[in-house]
Amino acid sequence: MRSVPWWALLSSACAPVLLVGGWTVSAVLQGPGYDPGSATISILASDGAQGYWVMTSALVGLGVCDVVTACGLRPAARAGRVALGGGGLSAMLLALFPAPASGGSLDHGTVVAVGFALLALWPVLAVRRPGHAWRPGRPGPSDPPPAPGLPPAPGLPSAPGLPPASGRVPAEAAAPWGLRHRPSLMASGLMWLGGGWFLLALFVNDTAGAAERVVTFAQAFWPLVVVLSCVRWTGGDARTG
């Protein structure tokens, strides 16, 4: 059995497509006056924008995809799945709190900040916690002892002084690649660095649009990476931690 259902793979694949397709079509509808390098995505979904419904629909679709993926990502730790689903709900809430045509909005900024934080934290929260997973054919400490007179199981150490083989492997090796500590920490760290780049670009470099697109695409694409690693994974215990 696969560790994630087919519909979670579909939703994770649709998320980055909806995001990129939404801002591309909306930018075309907005006209040549829109500069994607300096103008943020929120402008495309603001009140009165030409591509308002396109960008808003894309954000809602992105949020739905994240929620569906979180429901199907069974090998991930529950805290990570909740954070991913919360990030998806935040994307959907942007339809209720769009950016104003000019100036700022506390409600919109709060939803964006919460959504970014949840999506930047979920890779770390989804890591399977330290533990062990059974290897087939290897008994562990809780297994009943062999019946008297039966030879020991093949492959187990029998020399005096050697500890009994538990048949367990570290959870790091038993988890899909996308749910291991090092890749997850790297992904989360790069997202936070991207958030810092966005703030710097917003107030200093006037390249907020480019920075926002890189960060949001990374956050939309990482669930697909994790799901693919789970689909390809064939070892260990795929149950939720």
Side-chain angles (χ1 to χ4, degrees):
M1 293 180 62
R2 287 184 174 180
S3 56
V4 291
W6 66 266
W7 44 266
L9 176 61
L10 177 63
S11 63
S12 62
C14 287
V17 175
L18 285 171
L19 179 64
V20 176
W23 77 44
T24 301
V25 175
S26 297
V28 172
L29 294 175
Q30 192 69 9
Y34 178 79
D35 180 11
S38 58
T40 64
I41 302 171
S42 297
I43 293 178
L44 297 174
S46 62
D47 293 326
Q50 296 297 322
Y52 167 78
W53 286 109
V54 175
M55 193 67 243
T56 300
S57 299
L59 291 174
V60 172
L62 171 65
V64 171
C65 288
D66 283 345
V67 172
V68 172
T69 302
C71 292
L73 196 54
R74 296 163 186 163
R78 183 170 297 139
R81 296 170 67 186
V82 170
L84 176 59
L89 290 175
S90 297
M92 288 186 276
L93 283 175
L94 290 176
L96 299 177
F97 301 101
S102 61
S105 169
L106 179 60
D107 293 337
H108 178 80
T110 300
V111 173
V112 170
V114 171
F116 167 80
L118 289 173
L119 293 176
L121 284 172
W122 94 266
V124 176
L125 296 177
V127 172
R128 295 181 59 148
R129 296 296 177 256
H132 297 83
W134 293 108
R135 277 279 179 85
R138 302 277 291 179
S142 60
D143 290 341
L150 293 179
L156 300 182
S158 57
L162 289 179
S166 66
R168 294 173 179 260
V169 294
E172 179 74 7
W177 180 86
L179 296 175
R180 298 179 185 178
H181 288 85
R182 186 172 298 176
S184 300
L185 286 171
M186 184 178 299
S188 183
L190 289 175
M191 291 177 192
W192 284 107
L193 287 175
W197 173 33
F198 170 73
L199 291 177
L200 182 65
L202 185 64
F203 296 107
V204 178
N205 296 334
D206 196 30
T207 56
E212 185 181 29
R213 279 163 172 77
V214 172
V215 176
T216 54
F217 179 80
Q219 292 187 326
F221 188 71
W222 182 250
L224 175 60
V225 174
V226 176
V227 170
L228 287 175
S229 73
C230 292
V231 170
R232 292 177 58 86
W233 180 55
T234 57
D237 183 5
R239 290 176 298 179
T240 304

